[in-house]
PDB file of all heavy atoms in Angstrom:
ATOM      1  N   THR D  68     248.817 162.819 150.200  1.00  0.00           N
ATOM      2  CA  THR D  68     247.592 163.071 151.095  1.00  0.00           C
ATOM      3  C   THR D  68     247.893 162.602 152.492  1.00  0.00           C
ATOM      4  O   THR D  68     247.300 163.224 153.387  1.00  0.00           O
ATOM      5  CB  THR D  68     246.449 162.115 150.491  1.00  0.00           C
ATOM      6  OG1 THR D  68     246.753 160.850 150.436  1.00  0.00           O
ATOM      7  CG2 THR D  68     246.027 162.744 149.279  1.00  0.00           C
ATOM      8  N   ARG D  69     248.686 161.570 152.719  1.00  0.00           N
ATOM      9  CA  ARG D  69     249.029 161.305 154.172  1.00  0.00           C
ATOM     10  C   ARG D  69     249.819 162.319 154.897  1.00  0.00           C
ATOM     11  O   ARG D  69     249.718 162.675 156.013  1.00  0.00           O
ATOM     12  CB  ARG D  69     249.724 160.051 154.224  1.00  0.00           C
ATOM     13  CG  ARG D  69     248.897 158.756 153.869  1.00  0.00           C
ATOM     14  CD  ARG D  69     249.723 157.524 153.966  1.00  0.00           C
ATOM     15  NE  ARG D  69     249.028 156.401 153.421  1.00  0.00           N
ATOM     16  CZ  ARG D  69     249.484 155.213 153.010  1.00  0.00           C
ATOM     17  NH1 ARG D  69     250.741 154.971 153.317  1.00  0.00           N
ATOM     18  NH2 ARG D  69     248.723 154.212 152.602  1.00  0.00           N
ATOM     19  N   ALA D  70     250.749 163.033 154.121  1.00  0.00           N
ATOM     20  CA  ALA D  70     251.544 164.055 154.654  1.00  0.00           C
ATOM     21  C   ALA D  70     250.813 165.223 154.916  1.00  0.00           C
ATOM     22  O   ALA D  70     250.976 166.013 155.972  1.00  0.00           O
ATOM     23  CB  ALA D  70     252.710 164.326 153.741  1.00  0.00           C
ATOM     24  N   LEU D  71     249.726 165.514 154.174  1.00  0.00           N
ATOM     25  CA  LEU D  71     248.996 166.690 154.348  1.00  0.00           C
ATOM     26  C   LEU D  71     247.866 166.485 155.455  1.00  0.00           C
ATOM     27  O   LEU D  71     247.437 167.516 155.953  1.00  0.00           O
ATOM     28  CB  LEU D  71     248.187 167.140 153.010  1.00  0.00           C
ATOM     29  CG  LEU D  71     249.092 167.632 151.916  1.00  0.00           C
ATOM     30  CD1 LEU D  71     248.326 167.804 150.652  1.00  0.00           C
ATOM     31  CD2 LEU D  71     249.891 168.872 152.377  1.00  0.00           C
ATOM     32  N   ASP D  72     247.552 165.242 155.733  1.00  0.00           N
ATOM     33  CA  ASP D  72     246.612 165.017 156.829  1.00  0.00           C
ATOM     34  C   ASP D  72     247.165 165.236 158.209  1.00  0.00           C
ATOM     35  O   ASP D  72     246.413 165.426 159.073  1.00  0.00           O
ATOM     36  CB  ASP D  72     246.114 163.571 156.658  1.00  0.00           C
ATOM     37  CG  ASP D  72     245.113 163.328 155.526  1.00  0.00           C
ATOM     38  OD1 ASP D  72     244.766 164.374 155.067  1.00  0.00           O
ATOM     39  OD2 ASP D  72     245.026 162.169 155.174  1.00  0.00           O
ATOM     40  N   MET D  73     248.480 165.173 158.336  1.00  0.00           N
ATOM     41  CA  MET D  73     249.008 165.410 159.630  1.00  0.00           C
ATOM     42  C   MET D  73     248.965 166.802 160.038  1.00  0.00           C
ATOM     43  O   MET D  73     248.782 167.434 160.788  1.00  0.00           O
ATOM     44  CB  MET D  73     250.520 165.007 159.543  1.00  0.00           C
ATOM     45  CG  MET D  73     250.739 163.598 159.330  1.00  0.00           C
ATOM     46  SD  MET D  73     252.529 163.172 159.279  1.00  0.00           S
ATOM     47  CE  MET D  73     252.472 161.610 159.960  1.00  0.00           C
TER      48      MET D  73
END
Side-chain angles (χ1 to χ4, degrees):
T68 57
R69 289 182 190 165
L71 294 175
D72 288 341
M73 295 178 148

